[in-house]
Amino acid sequence: MCGIVGFTSLKTPAVGPLISGLRRLEYRGYDSAGVALESSDGIQIYKQTGKVAELDALLRQSLSPEEGGRATIGIAHTRWATHGQPTKANAHPHVADGGRLALVHNGIIENYAALRAGLEKHGVTFQSQTDTEVLAHLIAQFDKSADFLSAVTQALKQVEGTYGIAVISMRHPGEMIVARKGSPLVIGICDGQTVVASDVSAIIAHTRQVIYLKDGDVARVTPESVNIFSLDAMPVSRDIQEIDFDATAIEKGGYEHFMLKEIHEQPDALKNTIRGRLDRSEGTAILSGFNLSPRELAAVRRLVIVGCGTSLHAGMVGKYLFESLADVPVTPEQAAEFRYSNPLIGPDDWVIALSQSGETADTLAAVRESVRKGALVSALCNVVGSTIAREAGRGVYLHAGPEISVASTKAFTAQVTALVMTALKLGRTRRLSREEGIRLVEEIERLPELVASVIERSDAIAAIAEKYAATNDMFFIGRGILYPTALEGALKMKEIAYIHAEGYQAAELKHGPIALLSGKTPVIALLADIPGKEKTIGNVQECKARKAPVVAIVTEGDDDACAHADDVIAVPRTSQHLSPIVSVVALQLFAYHVARLRGCEIDQPRNLAKSVTVE
Ligand code: F6R
């Protein structure tokens, strides 16, 4: 999704840090990029559709060293189109006041049509179709008669919707105003310079000392100072925090793609998710971040797990985990559906929000709705300090390390692992015995090594992928706890290989979709050796009878399951509760190799964004 970088320094030219910051944000997904530099001759704007590399080339060709090249303050943006096509005109920064003011914006201004009509009545002409340009003109109107900060706050008070913004103005040289509501903004504090970004990845090359703005914060930023205020211009204080990962964590480290690197990181990621959280002697998990007493846990009557995309699939696995380990009914909910459904939840319900980024707009809204309705609310997030983590107030971090690839991999396996531990903890406040708990703890401890052994099969999976890389349609089928894994396998195939892929409950195929099966529609069957496998084998037979080639994910040594497939990917034996984790790693690699063979842009798939901060 859109990315913001702002830079202001006592002596360092801004253009280099702005471009390298944009490169750090490329993984979020975008379709155009732009830069505004405040030079002695006025604000210089450079925009380009396509990649940051093309913007960089444009700057090298057109930026004169005397003008923009020396500018020590500037703002930059990568845009993921919402209002208006991905054109140069719609790319940010947007300008107003005859080019004296420039603004970059993430989020959506919901009342932009009314605001635009009002501004047009006053003679303002627009250059773009975006909602953002409205805000630039609105601020410019107040900027003529007020100090910069209050011009911005007065304009923001008229805005309905979400924003993370950075603004510069020739009327206030050397000053940048930034603000957030519903769209993240982080300020990096360095000696003699200040960096602003929508994501810490664009900051860590400069400093580890950051301030996370909260919703409603507006900050005046100069190279040597950061002053934060509320929208009513009351000073507020925010802690400076230390970022705990280094720049190498977001480099490709010799892998061809971030996705492949992140698939390979899973054994370590899972070690970090698990570390210090298992109590072998009592057969339970220690998840103090939930901050729930045994009495509170015992009082939970129902669980609602909310999330989107891959996180939703992890939540759907959670249903099987909690219902079988803790005897608690679970409703997994797509966060956008949940937030608008006037959900029936209350103090007996425990709402768990799943989000890698911790910034997904719909999941955040679901958290707010649940807090409003008095439910217990927790979050499982990967990004430390993210908005969902902060607003849920209690929860557990995944500690999977930064996930850069748009297609989520290690976050999914870490989420499911965290849910297994949560279900274990909840189960131990109920009927799950110590012995059963100890057995599960031992299996969880083996998980990193089991996942590593699936990754070792990458070449064999690549060979199978070669047979199917030219396919147009695929079906993924699974039963019970492996059904959400089928959905996740299909999602990976869609988003990175651009193959139409559908995930189904194995038994559901014959209720309609089987009409589509032929020799050209491979079926990927999740056949790990768990209860119900025989039934899925029956469904596989139905597919084979329609000539569909079958790729089966089976448990090592399970000859019976192998006998029904054209191609087999074996995964190690583990408890049924952990079978989605080992099986999904095989599907991640399968999708990755198919996408690679098809020459797809794996880390930045078309139309997609890493963090979906608009609803
Ligand atoms: C798919 C993918 C998305 C995200 C979804 C939620 O590979 O990455 O489906 O899972 O946008 O994102 P988070 O987990 O950040 O809330």
Side-chain angles (χ1 to χ4, degrees), residues 308-311 354-358 360 406-408 491-492 495 612:
C308 301
T310 291
S311 293
L354 295 186
S355 177
Q356 186 287 129
S357 61
T360 300
V406 167
S408 185
L491 177 61
K492 290 287 94 81
E495 60 182 343
V612 185

Side-chain angles (χ1 to χ4, degrees), residues 307-313 354-361 363 380 388 403 405-409 411 415 488 491-492 495-496 608-612:
C308 301
T310 291
S311 293
L312 173 63
H313 296 157
L354 295 186
S355 177
Q356 186 287 129
S357 61
E359 302 294 348
T360 300
T363 311
L380 297 184
I388 292 172
E403 192 179 67
S405 166
V406 167
S408 185
T409 53
Q415 281 168 336
E488 178 58 12
L491 177 61
K492 290 287 94 81
E495 60 182 343
I496 60 162
L608 290 177
K610 181 63 186 160
S611 172
V612 185

Side-chain angles (χ1 to χ4, degrees), residues 465-512:
E466 247 175 81
K467 288 175 65 177
Y468 298 97
T471 302
N472 292 325
D473 305 280
M474 281 188 192
F475 288 86
F476 287 70
I477 58 169
R479 180 179 288 269
I481 197 166
L482 290 174
Y483 162 55
T485 309
L487 294 177
E488 178 58 12
L491 177 61
K492 290 287 94 81
M493 194 58 81
K494 279 182 267 218
E495 60 182 343
I496 60 162
Y498 309 149
I499 291 178
H500 167 236
E502 306 219 26
Y504 274 99
Q505 294 105 336
E508 182 62 14
L509 218 55
K510 60 179 161 303
H511 295 284

